[in-house]
Amino acid sequence: MSSTMSEKILARASGKNKVEAGDIIIANIDIAMTHDLTGPLAVESFEKIGAEKVWDPSKIVIPFDHQIPADSIDSANNHIIMRNFVKKQNIEHFYDVNAGVCHQILPELGHVVPGEVIVGADSHTCTHGALGAFSTGIGSTDMAMVFAEGNLWFKVPETNRFEITGDLKDNVYAKDVILNIIGQVGADGSTYKACEFAGQTVNDMTVSDRMVLCNMAIEMGGKTGLVEADKKTIDYVEKRSNKPYKIFKTDLDAPSLNIIDVDVTDLEPQVACPNHVDNVKPVSEVDREIDQVFLGSCTNGRISDLRDAARILKGKEVAKGTRMLVIPASKEVYSKALDEGLIRIFIDAGALVSAPCCGPCLGGHTGIIGPGEVSLSTSNRNFKGRQGSPEGEVYLSSAAVAAASAIEGRIVVPE
């Protein structure tokens, strides 16, 4: 019987010839990631169950990215807990405060290859499915068991495959595509399902664009986001990793597969309005003054996003009364932006450029908003209180919309 990509990857990981949607399996984990915010609870739980050694220190990746540099005694304590754990367990892949956002540096530094099962103590771990892996977020206590045993139970998910067709118009990007899809299916439209992104539009996208799609699969309830590996994937992976990999593809007659057609030919720039990611409208229908623009995060803090924003901002200035915060997603992205002169463009426009980190995305550090303030963000969530005060408002958009809006001081369509 035919199978989906997720079923094939999970069958490999569980040592079975075949698994089907709904099966409960124990899967071996290829990569486990936790960071400075979720890591301390995982370490505490690891010690509580009496575990002494992690199953494989070469398969654990620990980046610091959420509250860096430490902004409080509590966050400094968390950093100490994790540094001590790294030292005690001889964790090979530890990235301190200067590396960047976890979901950017894992693929960038060669930790992700097709066919793997990847878990992270962060809900946007689904990003890594853009490279043909089964990648999903788990809780910190589940991560403690992964640290100890190297495996975890899963219910094999059904699959929603989004067949995306049509050429994108100027100033319409992958972020607009995924916001539009979430707006159509709703925040619970893919609950505990694998979200595959396919079709000619996806084939034409860069790996970075595909990461945007997979990153926000969780915002429609998805268990993971996936794109089948192709030549672009292989080129990306083989420049960064020497790990073996295996490419899996979905059989289009698989029983657990649901195909959803999406035509983006006439798609306009989109914005998710407060306080739900599925409250999506065309930018042309939204007229809102803004106090802050945030360009960054694991969704849209890559070099392509910085280039898109710089192209619009060059020779212009951020509007008076509006502040703009630019945070590259990694050290590599920051370095490229420096080499290409993008940082100078942002500074000359009046933006504040910060070191790679999660920034205001989680509302915990660097650039949170106050009561009554309005933020336009290239990140992935706009829940009440997500970027600071519960009395503030968060809108989500592409980098191009963010840059154009920063110039005008209100949400606008890029020219």
mmCIF file of all heavy atoms in Angstrom, residues 168-188:
data_model
loop_
_atom_site.group_PDB
_atom_site.id
_atom_site.type_symbol
_atom_site.label_atom_id
_atom_site.label_comp_id
_atom_site.label_asym_id
_atom_site.label_seq_id
_atom_site.Cartn_x
_atom_site.Cartn_y
_atom_site.Cartn_z
ATOM 1 N N LEU A 168 4.081 34.072 -8.508
ATOM 2 C CA LEU A 168 3.852 35.137 -7.539
ATOM 3 C C LEU A 168 4.088 36.505 -8.179
ATOM 4 O O LEU A 168 5.046 36.704 -8.925
ATOM 5 C CB LEU A 168 4.775 34.966 -6.331
ATOM 6 C CG LEU A 168 4.567 33.700 -5.488
ATOM 7 C CD1 LEU A 168 5.609 33.635 -4.381
ATOM 8 C CD2 LEU A 168 3.161 33.658 -4.908
ATOM 9 N N LYS A 169 3.224 37.458 -7.874
ATOM 10 C CA LYS A 169 3.386 38.819 -8.359
ATOM 11 C C LYS A 169 4.582 39.482 -7.672
ATOM 12 O O LYS A 169 5.109 38.994 -6.672
ATOM 13 C CB LYS A 169 2.122 39.632 -8.057
ATOM 14 C CG LYS A 169 0.875 39.196 -8.793
ATOM 15 C CD LYS A 169 -0.298 40.076 -8.374
ATOM 16 C CE LYS A 169 -1.568 39.731 -9.119
ATOM 17 N NZ LYS A 169 -2.706 40.587 -8.675
ATOM 18 N N ASP A 170 4.984 40.634 -8.181
ATOM 19 C CA ASP A 170 6.021 41.419 -7.528
ATOM 20 C C ASP A 170 5.595 41.746 -6.099
ATOM 21 O O ASP A 170 4.428 42.059 -5.830
ATOM 22 C CB ASP A 170 6.265 42.725 -8.282
ATOM 23 C CG ASP A 170 6.964 42.512 -9.618
ATOM 24 O OD1 ASP A 170 7.514 41.397 -9.823
ATOM 25 O OD2 ASP A 170 6.935 43.423 -10.463
ATOM 26 N N ASN A 171 6.577 41.673 -5.189
ATOM 27 C CA ASN A 171 6.357 41.977 -3.773
ATOM 28 C C ASN A 171 5.372 41.030 -3.091
ATOM 29 O O ASN A 171 4.765 41.374 -2.063
ATOM 30 C CB ASN A 171 5.910 43.432 -3.582
ATOM 31 C CG ASN A 171 7.034 44.415 -3.839
ATOM 32 O OD1 ASN A 171 8.178 44.160 -3.463
ATOM 33 N ND2 ASN A 171 6.740 45.523 -4.505
ATOM 34 N N VAL A 172 5.200 39.840 -3.654
ATOM 35 C CA VAL A 172 4.455 38.774 -2.990
ATOM 36 C C VAL A 172 5.437 37.636 -2.746
ATOM 37 O O VAL A 172 6.168 37.224 -3.653
ATOM 38 C CB VAL A 172 3.258 38.290 -3.832
ATOM 39 C CG1 VAL A 172 2.538 37.137 -3.146
ATOM 40 C CG2 VAL A 172 2.291 39.444 -4.076
ATOM 41 N N TYR A 173 5.460 37.132 -1.523
ATOM 42 C CA TYR A 173 6.510 36.216 -1.096
ATOM 43 C C TYR A 173 5.925 34.969 -0.434
ATOM 44 O O TYR A 173 4.714 34.849 -0.269
ATOM 45 C CB TYR A 173 7.453 36.935 -0.128
ATOM 46 C CG TYR A 173 8.151 38.123 -0.747
ATOM 47 C CD1 TYR A 173 7.554 39.397 -0.715
ATOM 48 C CD2 TYR A 173 9.376 37.994 -1.382
ATOM 49 C CE1 TYR A 173 8.184 40.492 -1.287
ATOM 50 C CE2 TYR A 173 10.018 39.088 -1.951
ATOM 51 C CZ TYR A 173 9.415 40.333 -1.907
ATOM 52 O OH TYR A 173 10.041 41.412 -2.472
ATOM 53 N N ALA A 174 6.827 34.086 -0.032
ATOM 54 C CA ALA A 174 6.408 32.861 0.648
ATOM 55 C C ALA A 174 5.594 33.180 1.898
ATOM 56 O O ALA A 174 4.651 32.455 2.238
ATOM 57 C CB ALA A 174 7.625 32.015 1.008
ATOM 58 N N LYS A 175 5.938 34.261 2.593
ATOM 59 C CA LYS A 175 5.189 34.643 3.801
ATOM 60 C C LYS A 175 3.736 34.941 3.468
ATOM 61 O O LYS A 175 2.818 34.560 4.219
ATOM 62 C CB LYS A 175 5.848 35.858 4.448
ATOM 63 C CG LYS A 175 5.192 36.339 5.750
ATOM 64 C CD LYS A 175 5.309 35.282 6.847
ATOM 65 C CE LYS A 175 5.020 35.862 8.227
ATOM 66 N NZ LYS A 175 6.090 36.737 8.718
ATOM 67 N N ASP A 176 3.502 35.586 2.337
ATOM 68 C CA ASP A 176 2.133 35.870 1.921
ATOM 69 C C ASP A 176 1.381 34.581 1.590
ATOM 70 O O ASP A 176 0.195 34.450 1.890
ATOM 71 C CB ASP A 176 2.139 36.800 0.707
ATOM 72 C CG ASP A 176 2.860 38.104 0.991
ATOM 73 O OD1 ASP A 176 2.413 38.844 1.874
ATOM 74 O OD2 ASP A 176 3.882 38.367 0.327
ATOM 75 N N VAL A 177 2.101 33.636 0.983
ATOM 76 C CA VAL A 177 1.483 32.351 0.625
ATOM 77 C C VAL A 177 1.028 31.611 1.876
ATOM 78 O O VAL A 177 -0.120 31.147 1.963
ATOM 79 C CB VAL A 177 2.468 31.483 -0.186
ATOM 80 C CG1 VAL A 177 1.888 30.080 -0.411
ATOM 81 C CG2 VAL A 177 2.792 32.139 -1.520
ATOM 82 N N ILE A 178 1.917 31.509 2.874
ATOM 83 C CA ILE A 178 1.553 30.725 4.059
ATOM 84 C C ILE A 178 0.507 31.452 4.902
ATOM 85 O O ILE A 178 -0.396 30.811 5.465
ATOM 86 C CB ILE A 178 2.798 30.349 4.890
ATOM 87 C CG1 ILE A 178 2.449 29.334 5.981
ATOM 88 C CG2 ILE A 178 3.478 31.579 5.466
ATOM 89 C CD1 ILE A 178 1.903 28.023 5.466
ATOM 90 N N LEU A 179 0.577 32.770 4.981
ATOM 91 C CA LEU A 179 -0.482 33.495 5.700
ATOM 92 C C LEU A 179 -1.831 33.277 5.036
ATOM 93 O O LEU A 179 -2.845 33.059 5.710
ATOM 94 C CB LEU A 179 -0.164 34.991 5.763
ATOM 95 C CG LEU A 179 0.943 35.435 6.716
ATOM 96 C CD1 LEU A 179 1.161 36.945 6.605
ATOM 97 C CD2 LEU A 179 0.626 35.058 8.158
ATOM 98 N N ASN A 180 -1.849 33.304 3.699
ATOM 99 C CA ASN A 180 -3.099 33.090 2.975
ATOM 100 C C ASN A 180 -3.656 31.686 3.215
ATOM 101 O O ASN A 180 -4.864 31.505 3.416
ATOM 102 C CB ASN A 180 -2.868 33.329 1.487
ATOM 103 C CG ASN A 180 -4.131 33.180 0.661
ATOM 104 O OD1 ASN A 180 -4.330 32.168 -0.007
ATOM 105 N ND2 ASN A 180 -5.005 34.179 0.714
ATOM 106 N N ILE A 181 -2.772 30.693 3.217
ATOM 107 C CA ILE A 181 -3.217 29.317 3.471
ATOM 108 C C ILE A 181 -3.793 29.191 4.877
ATOM 109 O O ILE A 181 -4.869 28.604 5.083
ATOM 110 C CB ILE A 181 -2.048 28.333 3.270
ATOM 111 C CG1 ILE A 181 -1.704 28.217 1.782
ATOM 112 C CG2 ILE A 181 -2.393 26.957 3.844
ATOM 113 C CD1 ILE A 181 -0.458 27.402 1.497
ATOM 114 N N ILE A 182 -3.092 29.753 5.868
ATOM 115 C CA ILE A 182 -3.583 29.684 7.247
ATOM 116 C C ILE A 182 -4.923 30.402 7.367
ATOM 117 O O ILE A 182 -5.835 29.939 8.062
ATOM 118 C CB ILE A 182 -2.544 30.284 8.212
ATOM 119 C CG1 ILE A 182 -1.270 29.429 8.226
ATOM 120 C CG2 ILE A 182 -3.116 30.398 9.628
ATOM 121 C CD1 ILE A 182 -0.082 30.078 8.917
ATOM 122 N N GLY A 183 -5.063 31.521 6.674
ATOM 123 C CA GLY A 183 -6.334 32.228 6.682
ATOM 124 C C GLY A 183 -7.459 31.411 6.090
ATOM 125 O O GLY A 183 -8.612 31.489 6.548
ATOM 126 N N GLN A 184 -7.126 30.601 5.091
ATOM 127 C CA GLN A 184 -8.154 29.772 4.448
ATOM 128 C C GLN A 184 -8.561 28.576 5.301
ATOM 129 O O GLN A 184 -9.756 28.297 5.459
ATOM 130 C CB GLN A 184 -7.646 29.265 3.094
ATOM 131 C CG GLN A 184 -7.545 30.319 2.010
ATOM 132 C CD GLN A 184 -7.174 29.713 0.670
ATOM 133 O OE1 GLN A 184 -7.787 28.747 0.211
ATOM 134 N NE2 GLN A 184 -6.149 30.266 0.042
ATOM 135 N N VAL A 185 -7.584 27.844 5.852
ATOM 136 C CA VAL A 185 -7.905 26.593 6.560
ATOM 137 C C VAL A 185 -8.179 26.825 8.038
ATOM 138 O O VAL A 185 -8.805 25.995 8.690
ATOM 139 C CB VAL A 185 -6.798 25.539 6.383
ATOM 140 C CG1 VAL A 185 -6.516 25.289 4.919
ATOM 141 C CG2 VAL A 185 -5.513 25.938 7.107
ATOM 142 N N GLY A 186 -7.707 27.940 8.596
ATOM 143 C CA GLY A 186 -7.927 28.232 10.003
ATOM 144 C C GLY A 186 -6.821 27.708 10.898
ATOM 145 O O GLY A 186 -6.018 26.851 10.513
ATOM 146 N N ALA A 187 -6.802 28.221 12.120
ATOM 147 C CA ALA A 187 -5.750 27.859 13.076
ATOM 148 C C ALA A 187 -5.796 26.389 13.467
ATOM 149 O O ALA A 187 -4.807 25.838 13.962
ATOM 150 C CB ALA A 187 -5.860 28.733 14.322
ATOM 151 N N ASP A 188 -6.934 25.734 13.266
ATOM 152 C CA ASP A 188 -7.043 24.308 13.582
ATOM 153 C C ASP A 188 -7.261 23.469 12.322
ATOM 154 O O ASP A 188 -7.678 22.312 12.397
ATOM 155 C CB ASP A 188 -8.185 24.069 14.570
ATOM 156 C CG ASP A 188 -9.530 24.556 14.036
ATOM 157 O OD1 ASP A 188 -9.557 25.170 12.941
ATOM 158 O OD2 ASP A 188 -10.551 24.320 14.712
#
